[in-house]
Amino acid sequence: MTATMPNMYLWIVLAPLIGAIVAGLFGKSIGRAGAHTVTILGVAIACVLSLLVFNYHVLEGHAAYNGSVYTWLVSEGVKFEVGFLVDNLTAMMLVVVTFVSLMVHVYTIGYMHEDPGYQRFFSYISLFTFSMLMLVMANNFMQLFFGWEAVGLVSYLLIGFWYTRESAIFANLKAFLVNRVGDFGFILGIAAVLLYFNSLDYATVFGHVDMVSDKTIQIFSGHNWSVITVICILLFIGAMGKSAQFPLHVWLPDSMEGPTPISALIHAATMVTAGIFMVARMSPLFELSETALMFVMIIGAITALFMGFLGLVQHDIKRVVAYSTLSQLGYMTVALGASAYAAGIFHLMTHAFFKALLFLGAGSVIIAMHHQQDMRQMGGLRKYMPITWLTSLIGSLALIGTPFFSGFYSKDAIIEAVGESHLAAASTVHIMLLVGVFITALYSFRMYFLVFHGKERMDDHTREHLHESPWVVTLPLIALAIPSVIIAWFFFGDIVFGDFFGDAIFVLPNHDVLGDLHEHNWVDMALHAVVTLPFWLAIGGVVTAWYCYLVNPRVPVWFETRFSLIYNSLVQKYWFDQLYQFVFAAGGRALGKLLWQVGDVQLIDGAMVNGSAQSVGVMSRVIRHIQTGYLYHYAFAMILGLIALLVIFVPGLSGKMMSLLRFS
């Protein structure tokens, strides 16, 4: 089987790509059924092969594969290649990406069945899957950057899929521009890697970090920065864009303008997880810079807490789940900053299942509500949609970290790991994460109670037509609900306390916070939770949501009135959109207008183009007076010209003429 593994790796990425090409180019010929068949088949093949790869590398324990597929260019000893690095980290990511993508593909049959862009959508989401697979399987920075930009491009196409909507076009442009800010830092980081390591190959770079660890660079005169610190911060700026970390978070909530299936795919298994994966893959670099780790931890903590607050005031069901994604990405980022990379990736895995479940559950509700997304127009859906209700409850319980659910093990591991960290900001970050536990439970069950319980607030026409979604919608919900409950039972101990990732993740001994945790099996960990603070904070959040939105709905109204400044700041999302819109966007347009008026109109067009033409005209008007038409004028000019030539070219003549003039 070892000899066939490279071909298997290749087909994992090729199968979704072939499906995307066929559906995209020949969609009209093969029809709707043909488009979803070929793309689902491609992703299903990739999913099955990913499971085989996972079994081969993780369960059977075979060594990692690192090989080149195609050499594109060799320049001054630097190779630009397409290659695969498949280890335990890659194998886990392959299963997560392909399984969630497969569920989204099946779900899309029901959700998009009336959309005129049906074939185009299937082509896009299959291409999205291919892009993410190329990213996670890369063994070099060039291929990483290709996958990085490819997921950005396809997300732009998918967020603006309904391109006749002005809001969708604004949202995909916003995502594109914000990610360009992060990608600028990312490509500078890759350039710095090439400059100091003279290679883009992971193995070469990671094997020579000690040679660069003591080198410094002066970004500002008189201030020396560690080269490793600069590289890590630049790379993380790219992750801040892709994984929507503060202050580059503003694009992710607006990505809800795309169809719900792509919201699930972006938020659960593809684009936003790319940054988390990248930092974990770069652990040999980040471990050598506590400054970079501190920066990562603080950014993650701000995102985890303050983006969670915003979920409390959203009325759009999809936006509540979107802000939940922002907050949970913050938890993953904090884990990376605490050097608990395994816990961060573990939360990435568990989060992928229950967040895809919550998004697809929200989509099922939207279908039943005739595309109504305002939770204030819902309520009491439990009796109409029992499968959606139960699976959404499972997703919500996993999200808030309920014992025995998958999210509990990954989130609790992060909180405990940060508590063991020796970084300066760790104690403050630990408190922020604990507050975030309460906030997560509050906004999650606010959504759950408003949608599925309480009085029915929809109009009579909608109520009369309420029913459970078709099987192509509910089957993926059930399939995602199962790992949302049980996946951590099998891998919790190996990932958090064991050596699950092997050499794929590097941690210095003095940074090994997971090694300082008290080891539990999954049952004891869940039973022990009842005496821990995070458990009771989550219970407090659920009870608060129950009281405020079912028992006494006047409490939220009182809060909105009594604390209007706080409430308005949350509704306005801390005014970041206005800041970027009116300072950077409007400022950029104003600067462009100024450069156009001064540079183009006045300098180039006015002074250089029109000015030179006007100068020729002025000179012509002066010179034309020389042409008098009188012969003696021309003879006089010829004599003067002859004298000038003699003075210039006859040696000593000018001196003699000056002497004659003085004598006379």
Side-chain angles (χ1 to χ4, degrees):
M1 187 174 178
T2 304
T4 64
M5 293 307 291
N7 290 330
M8 189 179 296
Y9 305 142
L10 191 60
W11 276 107
I12 288 175
V13 296
L14 287 181
L17 177 62
I18 293 171
I21 293 173
V22 172
L25 297 182
F26 308 104
K28 289 186 178 180
S29 301
I30 62 178
R32 289 172 170 244
H36 72 235
T37 299
V38 70
T39 52
I40 290 175
L41 179 62
V43 176
I45 291 172
C47 185
V48 171
L49 294 178
S50 296
L51 290 170
L52 293 175
V53 168
F54 186 86
N55 177 72
Y56 180 79
H57 287 287
V58 178
L59 302 183
E60 295 182 3
H62 289 279
Y65 172 84
N66 185 8
S68 175
V69 175
Y70 172 71
T71 300
W72 174 53
L73 178 67
V74 179
S75 177
E76 297 182 359
V78 179
K79 293 183 178 180
F80 297 84
E81 296 179 320
V82 176
F84 296 144
L85 171 59
V86 184
D87 50 22
N88 288 10
L89 175 60
T90 306
M92 195 195 80
M93 289 296 298
L94 290 178
V95 173
V96 170
V97 172
T98 55
F99 178 74
V100 174
S101 179
L102 179 60
M103 294 302 101
V104 170
H105 275 69
V106 174
Y107 178 94
T108 301
I109 297 174
Y111 192 88
M112 300 289 288
H113 72 281
E114 295 180 351
D115 197 283
Y118 189 86
Q119 294 97 314
R120 177 166 58 94
F121 188 82
F122 271 98
S123 175
Y124 285 173
I125 59 175
S126 190
L127 186 62
F128 207 0
T129 306
F130 158 76
S131 302
M132 188 65 185
L133 292 173
M134 285 292 286
L135 187 154
V136 300
M137 294 180 72
N139 72 345
N140 62 84
F141 284 90
M142 188 201 78
Q143 186 175 328
L144 173 70
F145 188 71
F146 165 79
W148 194 267
E149 293 303 310
V151 294
L153 169 64
V154 184
S155 70
Y156 169 83
L157 297 173
L158 284 164
I159 294 170
F161 180 78
W162 287 320
Y163 54 83
T164 56
R165 299 182 183 179
E166 186 176 344
S167 58
I169 296 303
F170 181 84
N172 74 345
L173 183 61
K174 186 177 183 179
F176 180 83
L177 292 176
V178 172
N179 274 277
R180 295 289 71 71
V181 176
D183 291 355
F184 180 68
F186 188 61
I187 197 169
L188 286 178
I190 293 176
V193 168
L194 180 60
L195 175 64
Y196 285 96
F197 292 92
N198 197 39
S199 177
L200 293 175
D201 180 71
Y202 289 166
T204 303
V205 171
F206 297 158
H208 293 83
V209 289
D210 292 338
M211 298 173 59
V212 182
S213 60
D214 296 329
K215 291 187 177 181
T216 60
I217 183 176
Q218 285 195 4
I219 301 176
F220 305 104
S221 179
H223 297 277
N224 291 324
W225 283 67
S226 164
V227 167
I228 294 293
T229 298
V230 172
I231 290 174
C232 289
I233 290 177
L234 288 173
L235 292 174
F236 181 67
I237 289 173
M240 289 167 63
K242 278 289 180 290
S243 294
Q245 295 297 289
F246 169 89
L248 301 181
H249 63 278
V250 293
W251 68 270
L252 192 59
D254 285 6
S255 69
M256 298 301 97
E257 291 296 332
T260 297
I262 193 52
S263 300
L265 200 54
I266 287 177
H267 287 242
T270 52
M271 185 164 169
V272 297
T273 61
I276 307 299
F277 167 81
M278 184 273 293
V279 175
R281 177 62 81 192
M282 300 299 143
S283 58
L285 298 177
F286 278 85
E287 281 298 287
L288 299 182
S289 174
E290 288 198 355
T291 302
L293 290 174
M294 181 83 72
F295 180 70
V296 172
M297 178 186 284
I298 292 172
I299 292 296
I302 293 172
T303 307
L305 180 59
F306 290 97
M307 296 306 108
F309 283 134
L310 298 184
L312 296 172
V313 298
Q314 301 300 314
H315 300 300
D316 185 320
I317 184 173
K318 286 175 63 177
R319 285 184 179 266
V320 176
V321 187
Y323 281 108
S324 168
T325 299
L326 281 170
S327 181
Q328 297 309 304
L329 287 168
Y331 276 86
M332 298 175 208
T333 303
V334 167
L336 300 175
S339 294
Y341 304 98
I345 295 296
F346 185 35
H347 195 48
L348 182 157
M349 177 182 70
T350 61
H351 174 266
F353 297 123
F354 62 71
K355 187 50 59 70
L357 172 60
L358 287 171
F359 262 114
L360 298 187
S364 179
V365 170
I366 293 169
I367 293 172
M369 293 293 298
H370 302 290
H371 295 278
Q372 171 62 258
Q373 297 183 196
D374 193 333
M375 296 186 298
R376 293 170 295 185
Q377 306 300 319
M378 299 179 188
L381 295 181
R382 177 171 62 96
K383 64 182 180 182
Y384 299 103
M385 310 180 70
I387 298 177
T388 302
W389 161 69
L390 181 59
T391 53
S392 296
L393 176 60
I394 291 172
S396 299
L397 290 172
L399 171 61
I400 70 171
T402 307
F404 293 104
F405 287 75
S406 63
F408 158 74
Y409 297 97
S410 56
K411 183 185 286 188
D412 219 58
I414 292 173
I415 295 172
E416 288 193 32
V418 173
E420 296 293 331
S421 175
H422 301 294
L423 295 180
S427 58
T428 302
V429 170
H430 188 245
I431 294 172
M432 294 172 72
L433 295 187
L434 289 173
V435 176
V437 171
F438 174 82
I439 298 301
T440 300
L442 180 54
Y443 67 66
S444 297
F445 275 82
R446 168 183 176 264
M447 177 183 70
Y448 172 75
F449 289 135
L450 285 175
V451 173
F452 295 104
H453 292 270
K455 66 178 183 179
E456 300 170 1
R457 297 179 296 276
M458 69 286 296
D459 58 66
D460 293 336
H461 175 74
T462 302
R463 184 183 297 108
E464 291 171 1
H465 293 84
L466 280 173
H467 58 82
E468 185 59 272
S469 300
W471 71 268
V472 290
V473 172
T474 56
L475 181 62
L477 296 181
I478 297 169
L480 288 166
I482 295 171
S484 296
V485 178
I486 69 172
I487 192 69
W489 301 356
F490 303 99
F491 300 106
F492 165 69
D494 288 340
I495 291 178
V496 176
F497 303 116
D499 191 29
F500 181 91
F501 293 110
D503 295 334
I505 291 177
F506 172 77
V507 180
L508 290 173
N510 60 320
H511 290 169
D512 187 14
V513 292
L514 293 177
D516 295 334
L517 300 183
H518 183 66
E519 186 171 347
H520 296 281
N521 62 43
W522 66 273
V523 177
D524 292 340
M525 182 80 171
L527 295 175
H528 176 71
V530 297
V531 297
T532 62
L533 184 57
F535 172 76
W536 291 105
L537 287 171
I539 292 293
V542 174
V543 172
T544 303
W546 168 77
Y547 181 78
C548 291
Y549 295 99
L550 290 183
V551 178
N552 190 1
R554 291 175 296 178
V555 173
V557 177
W558 172 84
F559 182 88
E560 293 172 15
T561 306
R562 183 67 178 81
F563 301 98
S564 58
L565 180 61
I566 296 175
Y567 178 76
N568 288 332
S569 68
L570 295 178
V571 170
Q572 297 298 327
K573 297 168 284 188
Y574 310 120
W575 289 279
F576 271 96
D577 283 336
Q578 290 87 336
L579 173 67
Y580 293 160
Q581 186 70 27
F582 296 113
V583 175
F584 294 107
R589 290 195 300 270
L591 178 62
K593 185 177 181 180
L594 177 65
L595 293 174
W596 165 63
Q597 289 180 336
V598 175
D600 284 0
V601 176
Q602 297 182 17
L603 181 61
I604 297 176
D605 291 341
M608 297 177 65
V609 178
N610 296 332
S612 60
Q614 291 173 358
S615 299
V616 171
V618 170
M619 293 176 62
S620 299
R621 286 193 295 271
V622 173
I623 294 173
R624 71 180 181 179
H625 293 294
I626 299 174
Q627 305 296 326
T628 61
Y630 295 110
L631 184 61
Y632 60 87
H633 285 172
Y634 300 150
F636 181 69
M638 292 172 65
I639 292 171
L640 290 178
L642 180 61
I643 293 173
L645 290 173
L646 290 173
V647 169
I648 294 171
F649 293 106
V650 178
L653 182 60
S654 59
K656 294 179 180 179
M657 291 185 65
M658 293 300 296
S659 299
L660 290 173
L661 290 173
R662 284 197 298 269
F663 178 77
S664 61

